[in-house]
Every structure is written in C-alpha cells, then in structure tokens.
C-alpha cells in the first residue's frame, strides 16, 4: 500500500475549503487514501512575506469575488465571513486530538468546521465554538474542552506546522504525493495525472 | 458578435507561455475570438508589492520545478532561461506594432517569441533579437527596427499597460470575458463554463 496523499490546509483558507469538498473523492478514485494535515498559514506567511489574499491590492477584490463565483460554479455553500482571516489554533488543535482517536471523525469535524466558517460565515476562532462543532458530529465536548488547554495538544499543532514547512509547504491548499508537491485547489487535474503515472 | 476575450500576458511570464499554447483553441471552441494584450508585469508588481515568482522563498523553487513539470505534462517545450525574468519592452512594442497591421501575424510572432524564450531558453530582451524573430515569421525587419525607436510605439505599450491595470489586471496570465476577470493558466475550465452560461 502506498503512502497516503498529504492534504495540507488552514481552516481560514478559502481555497482549502473548496479543495476539502472534493479531495477525498478525487484521490480515492485513483486508489489512494488522503491524510488531512491542518497547519497555521500565518507562520508560513512570515517566512514567505505573504499577506492574506483579501488584503493584497487588486488581488484582494478579485479573490473575494472569485470565492463567491467558485461557490456558485461548484454548488458549494459560500458566505464571506465578516471576520476574516482568523486564527485557527483551536480548530487545528481539535483536529489532531480527534485524528489520534478517529481519523474519519477528524475529517467529519473539519468539514463541519469549514461549513460553519465559509458555508455559513460564522467565526470558528473561539475554542467554545470549535467544541460545539466537534460535539455536533459526535466528539466528547467536555474532554475536548480540557484537551484544548493541554500543553501537549498545543505543541502538536506547532510541530505539525513546522513539519509542513520542512516538507516544502508554502501555501494552502498544498498536496504532497510521494514527495511531489502540488499547490492550489486548481491542481487536482495534475495530481490525478501524476497518480495515474502519465508523467515521470 | 460578442466582444473578444481579452488575454493579458507578459512575454516573461511562464504561466502565460503555457496559457498561450491553448487559449485560442479553447476560446474559439466556445464560439468566441481572443484578443492578445501583452503588458509589463513589472509595472503591476510595483502596485501589488509582488516579486518575480522564482525569487519568493520556497515558492520560487516550487515554481521552477512546476514549469518543467507542466512542460512535460502538456507536451510543451520548456527550457528554463538563464536570464529570468527579463524586461519585455521590445517584444511588447513589436507586438502592438504588428497587431495594428495584422493581428494574426502578431499572434504568430508572440508564439515564436515565447518559443525562443521559454521553449529554447534564449533571451528575447534585445530589440535585435525581437526583430529577428519577427522577420522569421514574415514581418518587415527593417521597418520594425525603426518602429522600436519610435516614441509613439513606446507610448503605446505604456498605455496598454495602464489600461490593463485600469481594467483590474493584477497578474499574468489574466483573462477578461465580458467584464469578468479570471486569473491564472489553471482557470481555463472556469472560463469555458462562464462562456457556456452555466453560471450567472
């Protein structure tokens, strides 16, 4: 069995939200599994000198419009959040805590968190909100509330972010397939061709 | 007859080079024409605070690899030029001078210039090189040599660059379809869907 495809994302990245809707279906159709890896985009932005897309002159207006257009074109719910971008520490910490217990539940939580933030436009920055979302998909809310204060849980997300950067991730969404990196939600076609062995 | 689709590009933009290989075929299949509009990306970079892709930490290495990979995957000749990026004033000025006489010849010239720069890796910065390329596809080399020194020809490219920025172009390749902007060589699918009226 080959290694899973790595799907790196930040809970505050709109293009990652769109990628998340289809990544499992796309990759599983090629006979491979997907491992979801949230990380903190803000840490990377300090290295690459990037800014949140919506704050870049000209590009910002385009992206806000593009997200709405992508939602329509792909039949994906879209509501531009009033608070954007946000810190996603709580969601990232919750994800890895769940992932260690039940990877399928962690993905279900991630999709629910994305639906709350970008589908409904409601902030997921507060730990209490993250706990509510996790509980709504079947996680133990009380245990998660405690876990989010745990130093080891906090460190885990830091370590995962550092590991992503070490692996060459410089934006989100980012995919690593057998060591080969692909950046952006528009690159599904290339990942599929790579998996199908049509390029050396 | 609807207005042509506007294809904004810089002769030093690798992703524009890849887009140029397929843009006419893609858009004409949707029953529309394409108008090619070279401009100076460097002028835009000053506004958006962008840098040439290959100089951005982490992203730079990725892009250099991605261009080679795209070349293989799309069967498009690719040689990373030793001198990159370059100023493309001469090529842009030559393009509009040719375009006013014969738009089809201007496109043929643009593809030949791209093939020299990214297909063969040979710089097209020097006016004499641009004249050689234009002459090789049937243009009047002596007349072009004179035209490249003409103040009005120089001003034309400045005006076209300013007009692109006014139209909302902030990167390359960029496409404007009936006022709707699309950024990036990976967005052909979206432009096709837009033209086919599948989204409001």
């Amino acid at each position: 069995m080959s290694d899973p495809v790595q799907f790196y994302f930040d809970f505050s990245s709109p293009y990652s939200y769109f990628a998340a809707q289809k990544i499992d279906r796309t990759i599983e159709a090629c006979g491979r599994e997907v491992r979801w890896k949230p990380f903190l985009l803000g840490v990377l932005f300090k290295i690459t000198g990037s800014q949140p897309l919506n704050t870049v002159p000209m590009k910002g207006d385009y992206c806000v419009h593009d997200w709405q257009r992508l939602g329509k074109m792909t039949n994906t719910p879209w509501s531009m959040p009033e608070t954007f971008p946000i810190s996603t520490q709580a969601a990232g910490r919750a994800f890895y805590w769940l992932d260690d217990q039940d990877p399928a539940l962690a993905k279900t939580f991630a999709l629910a968190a994305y639906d709350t933030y970008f589908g409904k436009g409601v902030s997921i920055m507060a730990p209490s909100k993250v706990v509510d979302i996790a509980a709504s998909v079947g996680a133990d809310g009380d245990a998660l509330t405690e876990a989010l204060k745990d130093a080891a849980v906090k460190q885990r997300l830091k370590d995962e972010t550092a590991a992503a950067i070490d692996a060459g991730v410089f934006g989100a969404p980012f995919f690593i397939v057998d060591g080969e990196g692909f950046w952006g939600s528009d690159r599904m076609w290339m990942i599929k061709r790579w998996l199908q062995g049509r390029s050396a």
Side-chain angles (χ1 to χ4, degrees), chain A residues 18 22 69-76:
Chain A
F18 288 109
K22 58 186 175 182
R69 183 169 66 180
L70 265 173
K72 279 189 195 175
M73 281 201 179
T74 63
N75 294 315
T76 307

Side-chain angles (χ1 to χ4, degrees), chain A residues 75-170:
Chain A
N75 294 315
T76 307
W78 175 259
S79 300
M80 184 69 212
E82 268 187 49
T83 311
F84 176 86
I86 54 169
S87 296
T88 57
Q89 270 93 347
R93 290 168 186 164
F95 179 91
Y96 285 110
W97 181 78
L98 289 167
D99 195 45
D100 284 343
Q101 303 167 39
D102 182 345
L105 180 61
K107 286 188 187 184
T108 302
F109 158 74
L111 286 169
Y114 263 150
D115 183 60
T116 301
Y117 190 44
F118 290 123
K120 299 186 176 66
V122 174
S123 176
I124 57 167
M125 192 157 69
S128 60
K129 186 70 191 172
V130 166
V131 169
D132 286 349
I133 294 165
S136 77
V137 296
D140 180 336
D142 292 338
L144 178 56
T145 297
E146 288 310 303
L148 290 178
K149 300 170 192 163
D150 188 312
V153 170
K154 293 180 181 179
Q155 188 60 41
R156 173 69 179 278
L157 181 60
K158 282 187 194 169
D159 292 345
E160 293 284 357
T161 297
I165 295 170
D166 282 350
V169 174
F170 59 81

Side-chain angles (χ1 to χ4, degrees), chain A residues 2-8 32-33 163-170 174-183 191 194-195 200:
Chain A
S2 306
D3 287 339
V5 168
Q6 312 286 311
F7 167 43
Y8 295 92
R32 296 285 284 271
E33 299 294 318
I165 295 170
D166 282 350
V169 174
F170 59 81
F174 201 98
F175 312 90
I176 297 185
V177 184
D178 306 329
E180 184 79 9
F182 298 89
W183 174 45
I191 298 169
W194 190 268
L195 286 170

